[in-house]
Amino acid sequence: MKLKKLVIITSFIALSCTVAMAEEKSELEKKLDSLSIPDDKVTSVLSEDKLYIVNTRYSSLVNRHELTLAGANNFTADSHLSTQQAALAYRYHINSNWSAGLRYTRYTNELTNAGKRLFDDKKMLPDTDYALNAQEAFVNYNTIYGKLRWNENTVVYFDQYIALGGGKIKLASGKTNLAFADLGLSFWIGNHMSSRVGLKNEFYKQTQLSGSRNIHNGVGYIEFGYLFGNGDRG
């Protein structure tokens, strides 16, 4: 008799626990369901929020002046002549994207081994209307701004830019018009220092004994500069 009562009591307790667990699970499922978002509602929910990505400059370029020194090499020069350039440039940065400037360039020309052999063997100099100097004006546009992290504590900020300009170039035969297009990267180091690497394409007409010829120079350069004024950190 006692055993029968014990079995009845145990069964009742087990049944009660099962019912309680079922009710608790059902309540938990209801809470989870209330948090879930139907698949067809995700887009509309997200569309109610506006997301912004802010990538301000470490040092502002607005209304700042810059002086630079550059060294360059002409990779498409006449096979008898090796040509390098040294340039001094001034830039006025109107804002973060646009700048305008002036540049003075000196050209250095030397005979290559082929040119020296031509002179030594035949006592002839190459028929080349070599450049002496140039004065240029240009407009620069920064297309992409970003930053490179070298390590945990070192970050370098940069712009990818294009520039167009023109001016006068003095050749051995005299002065003529010059046009150019420029593509490169400028790196901003701290608030005042700058560095650039790029490829400049020069176009002009030279006069030779055999007649006039259109010239295209592909010039690679490295440039270092100093920014005047105090740019505000972004």
Side-chain angles (χ1 to χ4, degrees):
M1 188 68 178
K2 291 182 179 181
L3 180 60
K4 186 177 180 180
K5 288 183 177 180
L6 181 60
V7 171
I8 293 173
I9 293 173
T10 302
S11 300
F12 179 77
I13 293 174
L15 180 60
S16 300
C17 291
T18 302
V19 172
M21 291 177 63
E23 290 178 352
E24 183 179 355
K25 182 178 179 181
S26 177
E27 187 67 23
L28 180 59
E29 289 177 348
K30 289 180 180 179
K31 291 182 178 179
L32 291 175
D33 289 341
S34 66
L35 293 176
S36 64
I37 301 174
D39 293 338
D40 62 342
K41 297 297 183 181
V42 173
T43 303
S44 61
V45 171
L46 292 179
S47 64
E48 293 176 1
D49 294 328
K50 293 183 179 180
L51 302 178
Y52 299 91
I53 297 176
V54 180
N55 191 14
T56 56
R57 288 180 175 271
Y58 174 81
S59 180
S60 174
L61 295 177
V62 178
N63 197 31
R64 297 186 72 182
H65 305 270
E66 182 183 10
L67 284 179
T68 62
L69 289 172
N73 183 71
N74 184 358
F75 292 103
T76 59
D78 187 282
S79 60
H80 296 100
L81 205 65
S82 174
T83 303
Q84 286 78 41
Q85 300 178 9
L88 172 66
Y90 162 78
R91 287 177 176 84
Y92 172 65
H93 294 271
I94 302 169
N95 52 43
S96 297
N97 297 113
W98 290 96
S99 62
L102 301 171
R103 179 164 46 228
Y104 176 77
T105 303
R106 294 279 298 180
Y107 294 77
T108 302
N109 304 284
E110 294 182 356
L111 292 174
T112 62
N113 291 332
K116 291 176 181 178
R117 285 196 301 270
L118 179 65
F119 181 78
D120 293 338
D121 296 343
K122 300 183 178 181
K123 303 304 177 184
M124 294 176 59
L125 289 173
D127 183 16
T128 301
D129 192 13
Y130 53 88
L132 298 173
N133 58 65
Q135 300 85 39
E136 306 162 354
F138 58 89
V139 175
N140 187 107
Y141 179 71
N142 295 328
T143 60
I144 298 173
Y145 173 70
K147 52 189 174 184
L148 296 173
R149 181 175 292 278
W150 299 115
N151 54 49
E152 185 177 351
N153 298 317
T154 305
V155 176
V156 176
Y157 299 84
F158 71 91
D159 280 291
Q160 191 278 320
Y161 63 87
I162 56 174
L164 298 174
K168 291 287 185 178
I169 183 169
K170 184 178 181 181
L171 306 176
S173 62
K175 287 189 175 183
T176 188
N177 293 326
L178 166 70
F180 66 87
D182 197 349
L183 177 68
L185 292 171
S186 54
F187 299 91
W188 312 109
I189 307 165
N191 287 328
H192 297 285
M193 304 304 296
S194 67
S195 177
R196 288 178 179 83
V197 292
L199 180 64
K200 179 183 175 187
N201 292 277
E202 298 177 337
F203 305 91
Y204 58 89
K205 182 178 289 188
Q206 67 173 209
T207 302
Q208 300 173 309
L209 295 176
S210 57
S212 61
R213 184 162 70 103
N214 291 321
I215 296 298
H216 165 230
N217 293 331
V219 181
Y221 63 88
I222 299 177
E223 191 171 13
F224 298 96
Y226 184 85
L227 282 160
F228 295 89
N230 295 314
D232 296 329
R233 293 187 180 184

